[in-house]
């Protein structure tokens, strides 16, 4: 979600089980996130610093492919104007 200048929170989208959740544009820009992430129910999280994630991707081709597929999926969702997972 993000907050408007007047402080009103707006939902940007939802993610479900087994979907990547991150402030991807902030990671690419190397700056602060413009969005906040909130879990609406109990969950387990894996986290990594940008540096550690970059090292993982550079060191393992499977992670490079996974990152490329996630990027493609995010782009296609944005292009279609859909922020919610398919079938939900």
């Amino acid at each position: 979600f993000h907050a408007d200048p007047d402080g009103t929170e707006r939902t940007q989208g939802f993610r479900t089980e087994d979907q990547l959740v991150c402030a991807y544009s902030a990671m690419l820009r190397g700056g602060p996130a413009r969005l906040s992430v909130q879990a609406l129910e109990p969950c387990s999280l894996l986290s990594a610093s940008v540096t550690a994630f970059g090292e993982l991707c550079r060191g393992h081709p499977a992670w490079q492919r996974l990152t490329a597929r996630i990027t493609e999926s995010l782009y296609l969702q944005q292009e279609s104007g859909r922020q919610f997972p398919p079938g939900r």
Side-chain angles (χ1 to χ4, degrees):
F1 68 92
H2 68 277
D4 289 345
D6 65 357
T8 303
E9 291 181 0
R10 306 283 181 192
T11 300
Q12 182 75 24
F14 290 95
R15 295 292 181 260
T16 60
E17 294 174 3
D18 300 324
Q19 290 188 309
L20 176 69
V21 177
C22 73
Y24 195 60
S25 62
M27 186 177 75
L28 293 173
R29 285 192 317 274
R34 295 179 184 165
L35 300 174
S36 297
V37 176
Q38 178 182 21
L40 300 179
E41 59 185 44
C43 64
S44 297
L45 299 174
L46 299 175
S47 65
S49 69
V50 171
T51 302
F53 186 72
E55 289 174 6
L56 181 66
C57 291
R58 283 189 295 281
H60 301 279
W63 279 97
Q64 293 171 359
R65 289 190 299 274
L66 176 63
T67 303
R69 293 191 77 169
I70 290 168
T71 303
E72 291 166 1
S73 176
L74 291 171
Y75 177 79
L76 292 173
Q77 287 177 21
Q78 180 181 9
E79 188 177 68
S80 70
R82 189 180 74 235
Q83 292 295 318
F84 301 95
R88 303 279 176 187

